[in-house]
Short mmCIF file of all heavy atoms in Angstrom, two decimals:
data_model
loop_
_atom_site.label_atom_id
_atom_site.label_comp_id
_atom_site.label_asym_id
_atom_site.label_seq_id
_atom_site.Cartn_x
_atom_site.Cartn_y
_atom_site.Cartn_z
N SER Q 1 132.49 -224.80 12.72
CA SER Q 1 133.78 -224.85 12.10
C SER Q 1 134.02 -226.24 11.54
O SER Q 1 133.33 -227.20 11.85
CB SER Q 1 134.88 -224.49 13.14
OG SER Q 1 134.88 -225.43 14.15
N MET Q 2 135.01 -226.34 10.66
CA MET Q 2 135.29 -227.60 9.98
C MET Q 2 136.80 -227.85 10.01
O MET Q 2 137.60 -226.98 9.80
CB MET Q 2 134.84 -227.42 8.53
CG MET Q 2 135.19 -228.59 7.65
SD MET Q 2 134.57 -228.30 5.98
CE MET Q 2 135.22 -229.73 5.15
N CYS Q 3 137.14 -229.12 10.23
CA CYS Q 3 138.51 -229.57 10.13
C CYS Q 3 138.73 -229.90 8.64
O CYS Q 3 137.93 -230.67 8.05
CB CYS Q 3 138.75 -230.79 10.98
SG CYS Q 3 140.43 -231.42 10.90
N SER Q 4 139.72 -229.31 8.02
CA SER Q 4 139.91 -229.53 6.60
C SER Q 4 140.09 -231.01 6.30
O SER Q 4 140.59 -231.76 7.10
CB SER Q 4 141.11 -228.76 6.11
OG SER Q 4 142.28 -229.20 6.79
N PRO Q 5 139.58 -231.42 5.14
CA PRO Q 5 139.70 -232.83 4.77
C PRO Q 5 141.13 -233.30 4.79
O PRO Q 5 142.04 -232.58 4.40
CB PRO Q 5 139.12 -232.86 3.34
CG PRO Q 5 138.27 -231.63 3.24
CD PRO Q 5 138.95 -230.63 4.12
N GLY Q 6 141.31 -234.54 5.27
CA GLY Q 6 142.66 -235.09 5.36
C GLY Q 6 142.66 -236.57 5.11
O GLY Q 6 141.63 -237.25 5.26
N PHE Q 7 143.82 -237.07 4.71
CA PHE Q 7 143.94 -238.51 4.49
C PHE Q 7 145.37 -238.93 4.74
O PHE Q 7 146.28 -238.10 4.85
CB PHE Q 7 143.53 -238.90 3.04
CG PHE Q 7 144.52 -238.47 2.02
CD1 PHE Q 7 145.35 -239.41 1.48
CD2 PHE Q 7 144.62 -237.17 1.58
CE1 PHE Q 7 146.30 -239.05 0.50
CE2 PHE Q 7 145.51 -236.77 0.62
CZ PHE Q 7 146.37 -237.74 0.06
N SER Q 8 145.60 -240.20 4.84
CA SER Q 8 146.93 -240.76 5.01
C SER Q 8 147.33 -241.44 3.72
O SER Q 8 146.57 -242.26 3.21
CB SER Q 8 146.93 -241.77 6.15
OG SER Q 8 148.21 -242.36 6.26
N CYS Q 9 148.51 -241.14 3.23
CA CYS Q 9 148.96 -241.74 1.94
C CYS Q 9 149.82 -243.00 2.12
O CYS Q 9 150.29 -243.54 1.17
CB CYS Q 9 149.69 -240.66 1.12
SG CYS Q 9 151.13 -240.02 1.94
N ASP Q 10 150.04 -243.37 3.39
CA ASP Q 10 150.90 -244.55 3.61
C ASP Q 10 150.11 -245.78 4.05
O ASP Q 10 150.59 -246.61 4.79
CB ASP Q 10 152.00 -244.24 4.58
CG ASP Q 10 151.49 -244.00 5.97
OD1 ASP Q 10 150.23 -243.94 6.19
OD2 ASP Q 10 152.29 -243.85 6.91
N SER Q 11 148.90 -245.91 3.60
CA SER Q 11 148.00 -247.03 3.87
C SER Q 11 147.68 -247.20 5.38
O SER Q 11 147.56 -248.30 5.85
CB SER Q 11 148.54 -248.36 3.27
OG SER Q 11 149.67 -248.81 4.01
N ALA Q 12 147.58 -246.12 6.07
CA ALA Q 12 147.26 -246.16 7.48
C ALA Q 12 145.76 -246.04 7.74
O ALA Q 12 145.04 -245.52 6.91
CB ALA Q 12 147.98 -244.99 8.18
N TYR Q 13 145.33 -246.52 8.87
CA TYR Q 13 143.95 -246.36 9.32
C TYR Q 13 143.96 -245.17 10.32
O TYR Q 13 144.94 -244.92 10.98
CB TYR Q 13 143.45 -247.60 10.07
CG TYR Q 13 143.25 -248.78 9.20
CD1 TYR Q 13 144.25 -249.75 9.05
CD2 TYR Q 13 142.04 -248.95 8.58
CE1 TYR Q 13 144.02 -250.85 8.25
CE2 TYR Q 13 141.82 -250.05 7.76
CZ TYR Q 13 142.82 -251.00 7.62
OH TYR Q 13 142.61 -252.10 6.82
N GLN Q 14 142.84 -244.47 10.39
CA GLN Q 14 142.69 -243.40 11.39
C GLN Q 14 141.52 -243.76 12.30
O GLN Q 14 140.41 -243.96 11.86
CB GLN Q 14 142.45 -242.06 10.67
CG GLN Q 14 142.24 -240.89 11.63
CD GLN Q 14 142.05 -239.57 10.93
OE1 GLN Q 14 142.21 -239.45 9.72
NE2 GLN Q 14 141.63 -238.60 11.67
N VAL Q 15 141.82 -243.78 13.57
CA VAL Q 15 140.80 -244.05 14.59
C VAL Q 15 140.52 -242.73 15.30
O VAL Q 15 141.46 -242.08 15.78
CB VAL Q 15 141.27 -245.08 15.62
CG1 VAL Q 15 140.21 -245.36 16.66
CG2 VAL Q 15 141.63 -246.43 14.92
N THR Q 16 139.28 -242.27 15.34
CA THR Q 16 138.89 -240.99 15.93
C THR Q 16 137.85 -241.20 17.03
O THR Q 16 136.87 -241.89 16.82
CB THR Q 16 138.36 -240.01 14.85
OG1 THR Q 16 139.33 -239.84 13.88
CG2 THR Q 16 138.00 -238.69 15.47
N TYR Q 17 138.13 -240.59 18.20
CA TYR Q 17 137.18 -240.64 19.28
C TYR Q 17 136.68 -239.19 19.54
O TYR Q 17 137.52 -238.26 19.70
CB TYR Q 17 137.87 -241.14 20.56
CG TYR Q 17 136.95 -241.13 21.75
CD1 TYR Q 17 135.94 -242.05 21.85
CD2 TYR Q 17 137.14 -240.23 22.76
CE1 TYR Q 17 135.08 -242.04 22.96
CE2 TYR Q 17 136.26 -240.19 23.86
CZ TYR Q 17 135.27 -241.14 23.96
OH TYR Q 17 134.40 -241.12 25.03
N ILE Q 18 135.40 -239.01 19.58
CA ILE Q 18 134.79 -237.68 19.87
C ILE Q 18 134.67 -237.54 21.36
O ILE Q 18 133.94 -238.30 22.01
CB ILE Q 18 133.41 -237.54 19.19
CG1 ILE Q 18 133.50 -237.87 17.71
CG2 ILE Q 18 132.84 -236.17 19.43
CD1 ILE Q 18 134.47 -237.02 16.91
N VAL Q 19 135.43 -236.63 21.91
CA VAL Q 19 135.46 -236.46 23.37
C VAL Q 19 134.23 -235.73 23.87
O VAL Q 19 133.56 -236.15 24.81
CB VAL Q 19 136.71 -235.65 23.79
CG1 VAL Q 19 136.74 -235.38 25.28
CG2 VAL Q 19 138.00 -236.37 23.36
N ARG Q 20 133.84 -234.61 23.22
CA ARG Q 20 132.62 -233.90 23.58
C ARG Q 20 132.16 -233.02 22.41
O ARG Q 20 132.93 -232.78 21.51
CB ARG Q 20 132.84 -233.08 24.84
CG ARG Q 20 133.65 -231.85 24.71
CD ARG Q 20 133.73 -231.06 26.02
NE ARG Q 20 135.14 -230.90 26.30
CZ ARG Q 20 135.76 -231.12 27.39
NH1 ARG Q 20 135.06 -231.55 28.43
NH2 ARG Q 20 137.01 -230.95 27.54
N GLY Q 21 130.93 -232.61 22.52
CA GLY Q 21 130.35 -231.83 21.45
C GLY Q 21 129.65 -232.72 20.44
O GLY Q 21 129.47 -233.93 20.63
N SER Q 22 129.33 -232.14 19.29
CA SER Q 22 128.67 -232.91 18.23
C SER Q 22 128.89 -232.22 16.90
O SER Q 22 129.37 -231.12 16.79
CB SER Q 22 127.15 -233.03 18.51
OG SER Q 22 126.57 -231.74 18.56
N GLY Q 23 128.54 -232.98 15.86
CA GLY Q 23 128.69 -232.45 14.49
C GLY Q 23 128.45 -233.54 13.48
O GLY Q 23 127.68 -234.49 13.72
N ARG Q 24 129.10 -233.40 12.36
CA ARG Q 24 128.97 -234.38 11.26
C ARG Q 24 130.35 -234.90 10.86
O ARG Q 24 131.34 -234.17 11.02
CB ARG Q 24 128.31 -233.76 10.06
CG ARG Q 24 126.86 -233.40 10.26
CD ARG Q 24 126.25 -232.80 9.02
NE ARG Q 24 126.93 -231.61 8.58
CZ ARG Q 24 127.25 -231.33 7.32
NH1 ARG Q 24 126.93 -232.14 6.34
NH2 ARG Q 24 127.83 -230.20 7.02
N VAL Q 25 130.38 -236.04 10.32
CA VAL Q 25 131.60 -236.58 9.72
C VAL Q 25 131.25 -237.06 8.31
O VAL Q 25 130.16 -237.57 8.05
CB VAL Q 25 132.20 -237.74 10.57
CG1 VAL Q 25 131.25 -238.94 10.61
CG2 VAL Q 25 133.54 -238.15 10.03
N GLN Q 26 132.16 -236.77 7.38
CA GLN Q 26 132.03 -237.21 6.00
C GLN Q 26 133.29 -237.98 5.62
O GLN Q 26 134.38 -237.47 5.83
CB GLN Q 26 131.84 -236.03 5.07
CG GLN Q 26 130.59 -235.23 5.28
CD GLN Q 26 130.53 -234.01 4.39
OE1 GLN Q 26 131.52 -233.55 3.86
NE2 GLN Q 26 129.30 -233.47 4.25
N VAL Q 27 133.09 -239.13 5.01
CA VAL Q 27 134.23 -239.97 4.55
C VAL Q 27 134.02 -240.23 3.08
O VAL Q 27 132.94 -240.62 2.64
CB VAL Q 27 134.30 -241.29 5.33
CG1 VAL Q 27 135.46 -242.13 4.81
CG2 VAL Q 27 134.46 -241.04 6.83
N VAL Q 28 135.05 -240.00 2.30
CA VAL Q 28 135.02 -240.16 0.82
C VAL Q 28 136.07 -241.20 0.46
O VAL Q 28 137.23 -241.15 0.92
CB VAL Q 28 135.31 -238.82 0.11
CG1 VAL Q 28 135.38 -239.01 -1.39
CG2 VAL Q 28 134.22 -237.78 0.47
N GLY Q 29 135.67 -242.11 -0.40
CA GLY Q 29 136.58 -243.19 -0.85
C GLY Q 29 137.55 -242.73 -1.90
O GLY Q 29 137.46 -241.63 -2.43
N PRO Q 30 138.47 -243.61 -2.25
CA PRO Q 30 139.50 -243.28 -3.26
C PRO Q 30 138.92 -242.97 -4.62
O PRO Q 30 139.57 -242.32 -5.44
CB PRO Q 30 140.41 -244.50 -3.32
CG PRO Q 30 139.85 -245.49 -2.36
CD PRO Q 30 138.69 -244.92 -1.68
N ASP Q 31 137.70 -243.45 -4.87
CA ASP Q 31 137.06 -243.20 -6.16
C ASP Q 31 136.30 -241.90 -6.18
O ASP Q 31 135.64 -241.55 -7.19
CB ASP Q 31 136.13 -244.35 -6.54
CG ASP Q 31 135.06 -244.57 -5.49
OD1 ASP Q 31 135.04 -243.87 -4.46
OD2 ASP Q 31 134.22 -245.46 -5.72
N GLY Q 32 136.34 -241.12 -5.09
CA GLY Q 32 135.65 -239.86 -5.01
C GLY Q 32 134.21 -239.90 -4.58
O GLY Q 32 133.55 -238.86 -4.47
N LYS Q 33 133.71 -241.12 -4.30
CA LYS Q 33 132.31 -241.26 -3.86
C LYS Q 33 132.22 -241.23 -2.35
O LYS Q 33 133.05 -241.82 -1.65
CB LYS Q 33 131.72 -242.57 -4.41
CG LYS Q 33 131.58 -242.59 -5.89
CD LYS Q 33 130.94 -243.85 -6.36
CE LYS Q 33 130.85 -243.86 -7.88
NZ LYS Q 33 130.32 -245.15 -8.36
N ARG Q 34 131.20 -240.52 -1.82
CA ARG Q 34 130.96 -240.45 -0.39
C ARG Q 34 130.53 -241.80 0.11
O ARG Q 34 129.57 -242.38 -0.39
CB ARG Q 34 129.96 -239.39 -0.07
CG ARG Q 34 129.78 -239.14 1.39
CD ARG Q 34 128.82 -238.00 1.65
NE ARG Q 34 129.32 -236.78 1.02
CZ ARG Q 34 128.53 -235.83 0.57
NH1 ARG Q 34 127.26 -235.90 0.68
NH2 ARG Q 34 129.07 -234.74 0.02
N VAL Q 35 131.25 -242.32 1.11
CA VAL Q 35 130.88 -243.63 1.68
C VAL Q 35 130.22 -243.49 3.05
O VAL Q 35 129.59 -244.43 3.50
CB VAL Q 35 132.13 -244.57 1.81
CG1 VAL Q 35 132.67 -244.88 0.41
CG2 VAL Q 35 133.21 -243.95 2.66
N LEU Q 36 130.32 -242.31 3.66
CA LEU Q 36 129.67 -242.11 4.94
C LEU Q 36 129.45 -240.60 5.15
O LEU Q 36 130.33 -239.78 4.89
CB LEU Q 36 130.55 -242.62 6.09
CG LEU Q 36 130.02 -242.38 7.52
CD1 LEU Q 36 128.79 -243.21 7.77
CD2 LEU Q 36 131.09 -242.66 8.53
N GLU Q 37 128.25 -240.30 5.59
CA GLU Q 37 127.93 -238.93 6.09
C GLU Q 37 126.94 -239.14 7.21
O GLU Q 37 125.81 -239.59 6.98
CB GLU Q 37 127.37 -238.04 5.00
CG GLU Q 37 127.07 -236.65 5.54
CD GLU Q 37 126.73 -235.66 4.48
OE1 GLU Q 37 126.55 -236.02 3.31
OE2 GLU Q 37 126.55 -234.49 4.84
N THR Q 38 127.35 -238.81 8.43
CA THR Q 38 126.48 -239.06 9.61
C THR Q 38 126.75 -238.03 10.68
O THR Q 38 127.80 -237.40 10.71
CB THR Q 38 126.72 -240.49 10.13
OG1 THR Q 38 125.73 -240.80 11.10
CG2 THR Q 38 128.08 -240.67 10.72
N ARG Q 39 125.83 -237.97 11.65
CA ARG Q 39 125.99 -237.11 12.82
C ARG Q 39 126.78 -237.88 13.86
O ARG Q 39 126.60 -239.12 13.96
CB ARG Q 39 124.62 -236.71 13.40
CG ARG Q 39 123.94 -235.67 12.59
CD ARG Q 39 122.84 -234.92 13.35
NE ARG Q 39 123.15 -234.60 14.76
CZ ARG Q 39 123.89 -233.62 15.16
NH1 ARG Q 39 124.50 -232.80 14.26
NH2 ARG Q 39 124.08 -233.36 16.46
N ILE Q 40 127.61 -237.18 14.60
CA ILE Q 40 128.38 -237.79 15.68
C ILE Q 40 128.23 -236.94 16.92
O ILE Q 40 128.00 -235.75 16.85
CB ILE Q 40 129.87 -237.95 15.26
CG1 ILE Q 40 130.41 -236.65 14.74
CG2 ILE Q 40 130.05 -239.06 14.29
CD1 ILE Q 40 131.91 -236.71 14.44
N GLU Q 41 128.41 -237.59 18.06
CA GLU Q 41 128.31 -236.93 19.36
C GLU Q 41 129.41 -237.42 20.23
O GLU Q 41 130.07 -238.40 19.94
CB GLU Q 41 126.95 -237.25 19.99
CG GLU Q 41 125.76 -236.72 19.26
CD GLU Q 41 124.42 -237.07 19.93
OE1 GLU Q 41 124.44 -237.86 20.90
OE2 GLU Q 41 123.42 -236.54 19.49
N GLY Q 42 129.61 -236.72 21.37
CA GLY Q 42 130.59 -237.14 22.34
C GLY Q 42 130.44 -238.60 22.69
O GLY Q 42 129.31 -239.09 22.86
N GLY Q 43 131.51 -239.35 22.75
CA GLY Q 43 131.47 -240.76 23.05
C GLY Q 43 131.52 -241.65 21.78
O GLY Q 43 131.66 -242.85 21.88
N SER Q 44 131.39 -241.04 20.61
CA SER Q 44 131.44 -241.77 19.35
C SER Q 44 132.88 -242.14 19.01
O SER Q 44 133.80 -241.38 19.27
CB SER Q 44 130.86 -240.96 18.22
OG SER Q 44 129.52 -240.65 18.46
N LEU Q 45 133.06 -243.26 18.40
CA LEU Q 45 134.34 -243.72 17.91
C LEU Q 45 134.15 -244.23 16.47
O LEU Q 45 133.16 -244.95 16.21
CB LEU Q 45 134.86 -244.89 18.77
CG LEU Q 45 136.12 -245.56 18.37
CD1 LEU Q 45 137.34 -244.67 18.72
CD2 LEU Q 45 136.29 -246.92 18.95
N PHE Q 46 135.02 -243.81 15.58
CA PHE Q 46 134.87 -244.31 14.20
C PHE Q 46 136.28 -244.51 13.59
O PHE Q 46 137.26 -243.90 14.02
CB PHE Q 46 134.01 -243.42 13.33
CG PHE Q 46 134.56 -242.01 13.11
CD1 PHE Q 46 135.32 -241.71 12.00
CD2 PHE Q 46 134.25 -241.02 13.97
CE1 PHE Q 46 135.82 -240.44 11.81
CE2 PHE Q 46 134.71 -239.73 13.81
CZ PHE Q 46 135.52 -239.47 12.69
N ILE Q 47 136.34 -245.38 12.62
CA ILE Q 47 137.59 -245.75 11.96
C ILE Q 47 137.50 -245.36 10.47
O ILE Q 47 136.48 -245.70 9.81
CB ILE Q 47 137.88 -247.27 12.05
CG1 ILE Q 47 138.02 -247.62 13.56
CG2 ILE Q 47 139.15 -247.61 11.26
CD1 ILE Q 47 138.11 -249.13 13.80
N VAL Q 48 138.48 -244.64 10.01
CA VAL Q 48 138.53 -244.25 8.59
C VAL Q 48 139.46 -245.25 7.88
O VAL Q 48 140.61 -245.41 8.25
CB VAL Q 48 139.08 -242.83 8.42
CG1 VAL Q 48 139.15 -242.45 6.96
CG2 VAL Q 48 138.21 -241.84 9.19
N PRO Q 49 138.93 -245.94 6.87
CA PRO Q 49 139.76 -246.95 6.18
C PRO Q 49 140.91 -246.33 5.43
O PRO Q 49 140.98 -245.13 5.18
CB PRO Q 49 138.75 -247.59 5.18
CG PRO Q 49 137.42 -247.22 5.69
CD PRO Q 49 137.55 -245.92 6.37
N ARG Q 50 141.81 -247.21 5.02
CA ARG Q 50 142.99 -246.77 4.22
C ARG Q 50 142.55 -246.02 2.96
O ARG Q 50 141.55 -246.38 2.33
CB ARG Q 50 143.80 -248.00 3.82
CG ARG Q 50 144.38 -248.72 4.96
CD ARG Q 50 145.03 -250.00 4.48
NE ARG Q 50 145.59 -250.69 5.64
CZ ARG Q 50 146.19 -251.82 5.55
NH1 ARG Q 50 146.31 -252.46 4.44
NH2 ARG Q 50 146.68 -252.38 6.65
N PHE Q 51 143.31 -244.99 2.63
CA PHE Q 51 143.15 -244.25 1.40
C PHE Q 51 141.78 -243.54 1.29
O PHE Q 51 141.38 -243.18 0.20
CB PHE Q 51 143.35 -245.11 0.18
CG PHE Q 51 144.64 -245.89 0.24
CD1 PHE Q 51 144.65 -247.25 0.29
CD2 PHE Q 51 145.85 -245.22 0.16
CE1 PHE Q 51 145.85 -247.99 0.35
CE2 PHE Q 51 147.07 -245.94 0.24
CZ PHE Q 51 147.04 -247.29 0.32
N HIS Q 52 141.11 -243.29 2.42
CA HIS Q 52 139.86 -242.55 2.44
C HIS Q 52 140.11 -241.16 3.05
O HIS Q 52 141.00 -240.97 3.88
CB HIS Q 52 138.80 -243.28 3.24
CG HIS Q 52 138.20 -244.46 2.56
ND1 HIS Q 52 138.96 -245.53 2.13
CD2 HIS Q 52 136.96 -244.71 2.18
CE1 HIS Q 52 138.17 -246.41 1.57
NE2 HIS Q 52 136.94 -245.94 1.55
N VAL Q 53 139.37 -240.20 2.59
CA VAL Q 53 139.47 -238.82 3.08
C VAL Q 53 138.37 -238.57 4.10
O VAL Q 53 137.22 -238.97 3.88
CB VAL Q 53 139.32 -237.80 1.92
CG1 VAL Q 53 139.41 -236.38 2.41
CG2 VAL Q 53 140.42 -238.07 0.88
N VAL Q 54 138.67 -237.84 5.18
CA VAL Q 54 137.68 -237.59 6.23
C VAL Q 54 137.62 -236.08 6.52
O VAL Q 54 138.64 -235.40 6.51
CB VAL Q 54 137.99 -238.40 7.52
CG1 VAL Q 54 139.33 -237.98 8.13
CG2 VAL Q 54 136.87 -238.19 8.52
N SER Q 55 136.39 -235.59 6.76
CA SER Q 55 136.15 -234.25 7.24
C SER Q 55 135.28 -234.31 8.42
O SER Q 55 134.32 -235.07 8.51
CB SER Q 55 135.43 -233.41 6.16
OG SER Q 55 136.26 -233.16 5.08
N LYS Q 56 135.59 -233.45 9.42
CA LYS Q 56 134.75 -233.33 10.61
C LYS Q 56 134.23 -231.92 10.70
O LYS Q 56 134.97 -230.96 10.58
CB LYS Q 56 135.57 -233.66 11.86
CG LYS Q 56 136.05 -235.11 11.87
CD LYS Q 56 136.94 -235.44 12.99
CE LYS Q 56 138.40 -235.26 12.80
NZ LYS Q 56 139.07 -235.82 11.69
N ILE Q 57 132.88 -231.78 10.81
CA ILE Q 57 132.23 -230.49 10.80
C ILE Q 57 131.50 -230.34 12.14
O ILE Q 57 130.54 -231.07 12.42
CB ILE Q 57 131.25 -230.37 9.64
CG1 ILE Q 57 131.98 -230.58 8.31
CG2 ILE Q 57 130.56 -229.00 9.64
CD1 ILE Q 57 131.66 -231.80 7.62
N ALA Q 58 131.88 -229.37 12.95
CA ALA Q 58 131.30 -229.17 14.27
C ALA Q 58 129.99 -228.45 14.19
O ALA Q 58 129.77 -227.60 13.32
CB ALA Q 58 132.28 -228.37 15.15
N ASP Q 59 129.10 -228.73 15.15
CA ASP Q 59 127.88 -227.94 15.31
C ASP Q 59 128.24 -226.62 16.00
O ASP Q 59 129.39 -226.40 16.36
CB ASP Q 59 126.86 -228.72 16.20
CG ASP Q 59 126.22 -229.86 15.48
OD1 ASP Q 59 126.26 -229.89 14.24
OD2 ASP Q 59 125.64 -230.73 16.16
N ALA Q 60 127.23 -225.80 16.21
CA ALA Q 60 127.47 -224.47 16.84
C ALA Q 60 128.12 -224.59 18.23
O ALA Q 60 128.89 -223.68 18.62
CB ALA Q 60 126.15 -223.72 16.92
N SER Q 61 127.88 -225.66 18.93
CA SER Q 61 128.47 -225.84 20.27
C SER Q 61 129.91 -226.30 20.23
O SER Q 61 130.57 -226.37 21.27
CB SER Q 61 127.63 -226.82 21.08
OG SER Q 61 127.61 -228.10 20.44
N GLY Q 62 130.43 -226.67 19.06
CA GLY Q 62 131.83 -227.11 18.95
C GLY Q 62 131.96 -228.62 19.09
O GLY Q 62 130.98 -229.34 19.37
N MET Q 63 133.19 -229.10 18.90
CA MET Q 63 133.45 -230.52 19.02
C MET Q 63 134.91 -230.73 19.31
O MET Q 63 135.78 -230.04 18.75
CB MET Q 63 133.10 -231.19 17.66
CG MET Q 63 133.24 -232.67 17.66
SD MET Q 63 132.48 -233.49 16.23
CE MET Q 63 133.19 -232.65 14.83
N GLU Q 64 135.21 -231.64 20.22
CA GLU Q 64 136.60 -231.97 20.57
C GLU Q 64 136.80 -233.46 20.24
O GLU Q 64 135.92 -234.26 20.57
CB GLU Q 64 136.87 -231.70 22.02
CG GLU Q 64 136.85 -230.24 22.41
CD GLU Q 64 137.14 -230.01 23.84
OE1 GLU Q 64 137.90 -230.81 24.44
OE2 GLU Q 64 136.60 -229.05 24.41
N TRP Q 65 137.97 -233.78 19.67
CA TRP Q 65 138.26 -235.17 19.39
C TRP Q 65 139.74 -235.40 19.41
O TRP Q 65 140.52 -234.44 19.44
CB TRP Q 65 137.72 -235.56 18.01
CG TRP Q 65 138.48 -234.97 16.86
CD1 TRP Q 65 139.61 -235.47 16.24
CD2 TRP Q 65 138.21 -233.74 16.21
NE1 TRP Q 65 140.04 -234.65 15.26
CE2 TRP Q 65 139.23 -233.55 15.20
CE3 TRP Q 65 137.27 -232.75 16.34
CZ2 TRP Q 65 139.23 -232.43 14.38
CZ3 TRP Q 65 137.28 -231.67 15.51
CH2 TRP Q 65 138.26 -231.52 14.58
N PHE Q 66 140.13 -236.65 19.40
CA PHE Q 66 141.52 -237.00 19.14
C PHE Q 66 141.56 -238.17 18.21
O PHE Q 66 140.66 -238.97 18.14
CB PHE Q 66 142.31 -237.26 20.45
CG PHE Q 66 141.94 -238.50 21.20
CD1 PHE Q 66 142.55 -239.72 20.90
CD2 PHE Q 66 141.00 -238.45 22.18
CE1 PHE Q 66 142.19 -240.85 21.58
CE2 PHE Q 66 140.65 -239.60 22.90
CZ PHE Q 66 141.25 -240.79 22.59
N SER Q 67 142.64 -238.24 17.42
CA SER Q 67 142.78 -239.27 16.43
C SER Q 67 144.10 -240.03 16.63
O SER Q 67 145.09 -239.43 17.03
CB SER Q 67 142.79 -238.70 15.03
OG SER Q 67 141.51 -238.12 14.75
N ILE Q 68 144.04 -241.29 16.34
CA ILE Q 68 145.26 -242.14 16.31
C ILE Q 68 145.40 -242.65 14.90
O ILE Q 68 144.44 -243.18 14.34
CB ILE Q 68 145.11 -243.32 17.33
CG1 ILE Q 68 144.95 -242.76 18.73
CG2 ILE Q 68 146.34 -244.22 17.18
CD1 ILE Q 68 144.56 -243.82 19.74
N ILE Q 69 146.54 -242.48 14.31
CA ILE Q 69 146.78 -242.93 12.94
C ILE Q 69 147.82 -244.05 12.99
O ILE Q 69 148.93 -243.89 13.52
CB ILE Q 69 147.29 -241.80 12.06
CG1 ILE Q 69 146.23 -240.67 12.05
CG2 ILE Q 69 147.60 -242.27 10.64
CD1 ILE Q 69 146.67 -239.42 11.31
N THR Q 70 147.43 -245.22 12.46
CA THR Q 70 148.35 -246.34 12.42
C THR Q 70 149.38 -246.11 11.30
O THR Q 70 149.22 -245.28 10.45
CB THR Q 70 147.61 -247.66 12.12
OG1 THR Q 70 147.03 -247.59 10.83
CG2 THR Q 70 146.47 -247.88 13.15
N THR Q 71 150.41 -246.94 11.34
CA THR Q 71 151.40 -246.84 10.30
C THR Q 71 151.98 -248.23 10.03
O THR Q 71 152.14 -249.02 10.98
CB THR Q 71 152.54 -245.86 10.62
OG1 THR Q 71 153.51 -245.89 9.56
CG2 THR Q 71 153.23 -246.21 11.94
N PRO Q 72 152.27 -248.56 8.79
CA PRO Q 72 152.87 -249.88 8.51
C PRO Q 72 154.36 -249.89 8.87
O PRO Q 72 154.98 -250.98 8.91
CB PRO Q 72 152.68 -250.02 6.97
CG PRO Q 72 152.52 -248.63 6.47
CD PRO Q 72 151.92 -247.84 7.58
N ASN Q 73 154.95 -248.76 9.15
CA ASN Q 73 156.40 -248.64 9.48
C ASN Q 73 156.59 -247.94 10.82
O ASN Q 73 157.07 -246.78 10.82
CB ASN Q 73 157.12 -247.92 8.37
CG ASN Q 73 156.97 -248.58 7.04
OD1 ASN Q 73 157.11 -249.79 6.93
ND2 ASN Q 73 156.67 -247.82 6.02
N PRO Q 74 156.22 -248.56 11.92
CA PRO Q 74 156.40 -247.83 13.25
C PRO Q 74 157.87 -247.58 13.55
O PRO Q 74 158.75 -248.33 13.15
CB PRO Q 74 155.75 -248.81 14.22
CG PRO Q 74 155.78 -250.13 13.57
CD PRO Q 74 155.71 -249.87 12.11
N ILE Q 75 158.07 -246.52 14.28
CA ILE Q 75 159.47 -246.17 14.70
C ILE Q 75 159.57 -246.27 16.19
O ILE Q 75 158.72 -245.82 16.91
CB ILE Q 75 159.79 -244.71 14.25
CG1 ILE Q 75 159.74 -244.64 12.75
CG2 ILE Q 75 161.12 -244.28 14.80
CD1 ILE Q 75 159.95 -243.22 12.18
#
């Protein structure tokens, strides 16, 4: 399965921790060029830069993660 591509439009960073499972992550820059495509496994942590789009694609065994998104205007 795949988590649909997403991005933050308010100049936030996204920090993602892979809790368990494995798969692939793809990050695309604002110019539409792929800047990262790699395999990830449980225990991996990665940061998606501002204005970049990220997709997470799970292997057959699935993948669990959580993300923290920063914001320039905390409430």
